Each structure stands twice: as C-alpha cells, then as structure tokens.
C-alpha cells in the first residue's frame, strides 16, 4: 500500500509507463493500414525477434526506462547485448509478444479511465453526456462528484502493477543468458586475480625495501660508526630507488591495462636482491646456476618474488644473519632454496603470515610447490617451479 501511495511521486512510474506506450505506436500505425486485422502486429514482430541486434536495442531501452537505477551497471539484471544463440533469439521473440500484450492493456486503461473521469465531472456538474458514454452506469450528481478521483487512482494502480509485471518479464527474458553470466564471472575472476597479484607485488617490493631500510637504520644507529652509517644510507638509497621502480611498474599496470608483464623484475636481476641483503649486514652465500635469462616469463618473475620475500623474511625476523641462497635449473624445473639460522627466543617465522602464504600461492599458480619451515636447526624456504608446462 505504501508503495502505491508513493508511486505518483516516483520517476520510474512514468518511465515504465512510457515504455508501455512505445509498442502501441506499432498498433496505431497498423490501424491506419488495416483496421480489420488488429491482431496483425503480433505476427509482424516475429521476424524482428530473430534479429540479433533487436535484443541489444530492447535491452538498452528496458534498462533506461524500466530499471534506470541499473542503467550502465555491469551487474544489471537486464542484458544489453545482441543475441548470441538461438535461445536468446527465441526469448527476445517471446519478450516482444508479451510486451505488446501488456502494452495494449496499459494503453486501454490509459484511454478508458481518464475518459471516465471526464464523464464523472460532466455528470457532477449536470452537463449532458454524449452518446456512448464510457461509464457503465450514470450515477447521481453527488455520487459522481465523489467518484471523480477513483478512475485516476485506479489508473495509477494499473500502471504501477503493469510496470512491475513488464519489468519482471524483462529480467526473465532479457536477462543475461547462462553463457553471458559465465563470461561476466570469468571477467570478474580475472579482475580479482589481477588485484591479488598487484597486492602481492606491492607487498613484496615495498615490504622488502622497508625491511632493509629499518634494519640498516637500526644497525647504523647501534654502530655509531660514520663509515658504517654512510654505507647504510647508501644501501637504503639503493633499495628505496629499486622499490620506487617496482612501484612505478605496478602503477603502470593500473593505468594501462595493456602494460606488458615482461617489464616486471626477473631472476636475471637477482643480484640486486642479494646485494641489498648483503648491504643490510647479512653474509649471503649465493649459488645461481643455469641460464636464468632463458627461463619462461611466468617462472622467472614469480621466482624473483619468492626469492625477494624469502630474503625479506630473513631480515625482518632474524636480522643480519648468514643466509644461503641456491637457485638452480634442474631437469624440467627451477629450484629455489633459502636457508638461515633460526634466531634465539620466540620467532614469528613459523606463523602463517601473508608473505609465506603468498610464496605458496605463487608456486601453486605455476603448478609447483613451496615449503617453508624449520629444517635441521635452520629456517628453510624451498620452492620448486615446473618449466615444461609453462613453455
């Protein structure tokens, strides 16, 4: 009841009314051609329903007039795309037929009820009615005066109900098909995966730079040695510059969807990570074997991030301790292993933080695996990334 009272004040009531009036133009045009066959428009619309682009036009019109709050929304319940399959064409045809029938009912009410209102006003003032009145009976003058607003109120109710009906039918027949919903779901999944990847990129690159800066600043303050402080500041500067480059790469991806992922850092640039760890005070024993520059793009990029996160965790949780890094191209796979002594006392390295989880997820996306945890008195990160299925 409250919705009906508010209906005259809602713009969507009149936009749906207009939507119902549009098909009547076809009937009016036909009545000038052959008034003896008023049902002919139901036949005329059949070939139009089978034209793919008619579904696009009907969908846009329905979005704009029936559900204006969803117009332009990618999640709209009414599709705005051409018919891709015969099932879409048959649904479009059924929609055109049902829309025409509902429109005829709405137009009949639009013409009949206002005419009744005029006749009630004439009866109330004592004006004689013309021949063939629309009123089913002629009420007394006092009753006619009381009944004047009834046809208009009934017209609003009919328009609202028919508007709701045609909107429900449009959502059912012009709504996205199963294939369109699947395509939209795949697009959203790709978007979410891209956002997750960007979040990992920021976490790895910026987290690594901040960890190195914190470790270097703390070591320089504790040492009180001008020469060491100068080396620490240089390391912070180099690490910050590298982090800014990584950040610029990520921002380019956000600004330009066509930005090639090949511009992301690879294992061919692993020396930058190793030097950054050494500058933080860690003794890094690195063994990199094999033609790393020939690695497949996804493997070398994700391998770089795994190595970066492993070194970041060492600096963050253990400080400048000796680190052993081994990157080797074995038969059909790439092995990455980073080991370091466990710190004395409580440690956070055994937790399930986002960094450790991110390394495992990166490896899993390539069909590989990553293991993190204590191993023979040390902390070990080991990742195995397959090469054959990536090529």
């Amino acid at each position: 009841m409250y919705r009906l009272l508010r209906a005259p004040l809602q713009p969507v009531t009149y936009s749906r009314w207009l939507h119902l009036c549009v098909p009547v133009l076809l009937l009016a045009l036909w009545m000038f051609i052959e008034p003896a066959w008023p049902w002919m428009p139901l036949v005329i619309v059949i070939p139009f329903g089978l034209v793919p682009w008619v579904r696009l036009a009907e969908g846009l019109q329905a979005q704009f007039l029936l559900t204006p709050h969803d117009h332009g929304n990618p999640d709209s319940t009414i599709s705005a795309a051409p018919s891709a399959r015969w099932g879409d064409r048959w649904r479009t045809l059924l929609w055109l037929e049902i829309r025409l029938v509902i429109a005829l009912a709405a137009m009949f009410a639009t013409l009949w009820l206002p005419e009744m209102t005029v006749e009630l006003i004439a009866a109330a003032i004592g004006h004689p009615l013309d021949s063939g009145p629309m009123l089913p009976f002629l009420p007394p003058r006092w009753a006619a005066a009381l009944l004047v607003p009834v046809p208009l109120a009934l017209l609003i109710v009919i328009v609202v109900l028919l508007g709701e009906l045609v909107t429900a039918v449009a959502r059912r027949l012009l709504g996205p098909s199963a294939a369109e919903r699947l395509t939209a779901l795949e697009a959203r999944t790709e978007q979410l995966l891209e956002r997750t990847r960007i979040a990992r990129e920021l976490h790895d690159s910026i987290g690594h730079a901040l960890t190195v800066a914190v470790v270097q600043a703390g070591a320089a303050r504790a040492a009180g040695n001008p020469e060491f402080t100068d080396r620490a500041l240089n390391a912070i500067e180099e690490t910050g510059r590298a982090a800014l480059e990584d950040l610029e790469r990520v921002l380019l991806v956000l600004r330009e969807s066509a930005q090639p992922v090949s511009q992301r850092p690879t294992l061919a640039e692993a020396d930058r990570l190793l030097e950054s760890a050494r500058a933080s005070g860690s003794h890094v024993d690195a063994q990199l074997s094999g033609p790393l520059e020939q690695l497949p793009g996804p493997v070398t990029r994700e391998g770089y991030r795994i190595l970066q996160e492993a070194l970041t965790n060492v600096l963050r949780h253990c400080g400048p301790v000796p680190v052993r890094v081994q990157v080797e191209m074995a038969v059909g796979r790439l092995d990455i292993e980073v080991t370091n002594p466990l710190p004395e006392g409580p440690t956070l390295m055994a937790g399930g933080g986002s960094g450790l989880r991110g390394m495992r997820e990166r490896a899993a996306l390539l069909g590989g695996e990553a293991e993190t945890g204590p191993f023979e008195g040390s902390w070990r990160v080991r990742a195995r990334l397959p090469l054959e299925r990536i090529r």
Side-chain angles (χ1 to χ4, degrees), residues 10-352:
Q10 300 295 319
V12 70
T13 300
Y14 303 98
S15 66
R16 290 176 176 176
W17 191 7
L18 177 61
H19 184 272
L20 291 171
C21 293
V22 171
V24 182
L25 297 176
L26 175 62
L27 178 61
L29 180 62
W30 178 256
M31 293 302 291
F32 280 106
I33 300 174
E34 186 55 68
W37 293 352
W39 47 268
M40 195 52 128
L42 294 174
V43 179
I44 294 176
V45 298
I46 292 178
F48 290 97
L50 302 179
V51 178
W53 291 101
V54 170
R55 183 177 181 82
L56 171 62
E58 291 292 320
L60 290 173
Q61 186 183 142
Q63 279 189 6
F64 188 73
L65 295 176
L66 298 181
T67 58
H69 51 282
D70 286 344
H71 180 60
N73 187 352
D75 297 327
S76 176
T77 54
I78 298 177
S79 175
S83 299
R85 295 169 175 81
W86 276 102
D88 297 336
R89 299 182 185 186
W90 292 120
R91 289 199 301 158
T92 305
L93 172 57
L94 183 58
W95 155 255
L96 291 175
E97 299 286 357
I98 295 177
R99 179 189 179 187
L100 187 56
V101 172
I102 298 176
L104 289 175
M107 189 52 55
F108 178 76
T110 300
L111 297 176
W112 179 47
L113 293 174
E115 179 66 21
M116 287 182 60
T117 302
V118 173
E119 292 182 355
L120 286 172
I121 295 175
I125 63 177
H127 191 279
L129 298 179
D130 295 334
S131 60
M134 301 295 293
L135 290 173
F137 63 92
L138 186 61
R141 294 180 60 180
W142 62 270
L146 294 178
L147 293 175
V148 166
V150 173
L152 296 180
L154 184 59
L155 175 61
I156 292 295
V157 171
I158 292 176
V159 169
V160 171
L161 294 180
L162 291 180
E164 293 285 349
L165 176 60
V166 75
T167 302
V169 174
R171 286 173 173 153
R172 184 72 179 89
L173 298 178
L174 295 181
S177 63
E180 290 172 338
R181 286 194 295 267
L182 181 59
T183 301
L185 180 61
E186 290 176 349
R188 177 170 294 182
T189 301
E190 289 293 331
Q191 187 181 48
L192 291 177
L193 289 175
E194 182 65 12
R195 290 180 179 177
T196 302
R197 187 190 67 76
I198 291 174
R200 289 200 191 111
E201 294 287 323
L202 290 175
H203 172 272
D204 293 346
S205 60
I206 305 303
H208 175 77
L210 292 177
T211 298
V212 171
V214 170
V215 172
Q216 290 281 8
R221 184 175 59 181
N225 186 331
E227 184 178 352
F228 182 86
T229 300
D230 185 62
R231 290 201 304 271
L233 291 176
N234 287 333
I236 292 173
E237 180 183 3
E238 292 298 325
T239 305
R241 185 177 292 110
L244 288 175
E245 293 176 0
D246 286 344
L247 180 60
E248 183 62 24
R249 290 190 183 101
V250 174
L251 293 179
L252 282 175
V253 172
L254 292 175
R255 288 195 295 262
E256 303 178 18
S257 58
Q259 181 67 23
V261 295
S262 59
Q263 294 191 10
R264 292 163 53 193
T266 66
L267 280 175
E269 306 171 55
D271 288 342
R272 187 176 72 177
L273 295 176
L274 303 178
E275 291 302 322
S276 177
R278 293 189 180 106
S280 299
S282 294
H283 174 71
V284 180
D285 179 16
Q287 297 181 7
L288 283 70
S289 60
L292 300 181
E293 67 280 356
Q294 298 180 10
L295 285 169
V299 173
T300 187
R301 291 189 292 267
E302 299 304 327
Y304 178 93
R305 292 306 185 188
I306 291 174
L307 177 60
Q308 184 182 53
E309 182 60 29
L311 293 174
T312 300
N313 283 343
V314 172
L315 297 174
R316 180 181 297 147
H317 300 298
C318 302
V321 298
V323 183
R324 183 173 181 270
V325 176
Q326 186 172 1
V327 179
E328 180 182 5
M329 288 183 62
V331 178
R333 73 172 190 268
L334 173 70
D335 292 338
I336 301 175
E337 185 172 313
V338 179
T339 58
N340 62 276
L342 285 171
E344 298 180 359
T347 178
L348 298 175
M349 296 193 71

